[in-house]
Amino acid sequence: MSATTANAEAEAGAGSQSKGRGQGRGRGARERVLAAAARLFAAQGINATGMEQIAEAAPVSKRTLYAHFRTKNDLVIAHLQGLSASGVTLETVLTREDVSPLERVLGLFDQPAPDAAPVRGCPFIDAAAEFPDPESAVHSYAREQKLRMVRLVTALVTELGCREPAALAEQLVTLADGAASRAMVLDEADYGRHARKAAEILLAHALSDAA
């Protein structure tokens, strides 16, 4: 299942990791802050994590922390951007060029980090849930990632020659997001196998109708 995991999020959201407490606080501070934020956000949630706690875990002074991230929203968005570029989110498989369009779509239902635990849901859905105001910067960023996901799937099923690709793409991403959420709740990394079977049926029908 393509739900992310706490360990994967912590590693990915960091970008580059801290080189240790022995280095000067001004060197690599941004990366250390992102690494600490990723670990804490994955372990206890975004809203439950304070900026002072992140500064202590980095470790950096609060002055240094706010020099890099003027607000917590800025830090959260930078964290999510790191995840987007990391290769551990649902959307990553959709842009791979070493597998067929069909396998890219079905890859939405495979766990990208099967050996890590506990299972985490989609970080963009998690972030939107913690920032429920649709106009907030974090919610808006999460929404754009989910819209990008459906655009990528639409392009792939169009390439496959499926009938009504836009509607099919919405059905497939709904399956993927729902399965990711259930995998997290149940802490079952391969829960996506159920949604994958449903996706295979949808794709088979769409391809046969187009034939």
Side-chain angles (χ1 to χ4, degrees):
M1 167 61 226
S2 30
T4 55
T5 63
N7 290 342
E9 286 184 24
E11 292 170 1
S16 62
Q17 296 293 327
S18 165
K19 295 182 180 178
R21 290 176 178 266
Q23 82 185 116
R25 287 178 179 263
R27 299 174 56 195
R30 187 178 192 277
E31 290 76 14
R32 297 205 306 278
V33 169
L34 286 169
R39 292 193 300 271
L40 292 168
F41 291 163
Q44 61 192 32
I46 297 172
N47 287 333
T49 300
M51 293 291 269
E52 185 171 347
Q53 186 181 13
I54 293 169
E56 182 177 349
V60 297
S61 67
K62 286 192 288 184
R63 179 178 179 178
T64 297
L65 170 59
Y66 284 107
H68 289 283
F69 304 101
R70 296 200 309 170
T71 68
K72 186 176 179 181
N73 277 1
D74 291 343
L75 174 56
V76 173
I77 291 174
H79 163 69
L80 294 176
Q81 289 171 336
L83 289 176
S84 297
S86 70
V88 299
T89 63
L90 287 171
E91 296 82 358
T92 302
V93 69
L94 299 174
T95 58
R96 288 180 57 180
E97 297 184 355
D98 58 330
V99 293
S100 69
L102 179 60
E103 285 304 313
R104 286 185 228 174
V105 174
L106 293 176
L108 285 172
F109 306 98
D110 297 331
Q111 169 67 288
D115 297 328
V119 174
R120 302 292 295 178
C122 170
F124 306 121
I125 291 178
D126 291 346
E130 293 209 48
F131 292 80
D133 179 1
E135 301 304 317
S136 71
V138 173
H139 195 111
S140 295
Y141 182 83
R143 179 172 57 249
E144 180 51 42
Q145 297 311 300
K146 295 286 92 179
L147 292 173
R148 175 175 178 267
M149 179 181 175
V150 78
R151 288 195 298 269
L152 290 170
V153 175
T154 300
L156 290 172
V157 295
T158 298
E159 184 177 349
L160 287 169
C162 293
R163 185 174 61 87
E164 298 183 9
L168 176 61
E170 290 288 357
Q171 293 164 1
L172 291 167
V173 299
T174 298
L175 278 174
D177 283 334
S181 296
R182 286 187 64 82
M184 181 272 293
V185 172
L186 300 175
D187 195 27
E188 188 176 334
D190 67 343
Y191 187 86
R193 68 189 187 278
H194 304 297
R196 182 179 176 122
K197 289 184 181 300
E200 288 171 344
I201 293 170
L202 286 172
L203 286 163
H205 280 306
L207 287 168
S208 64
D209 288 345

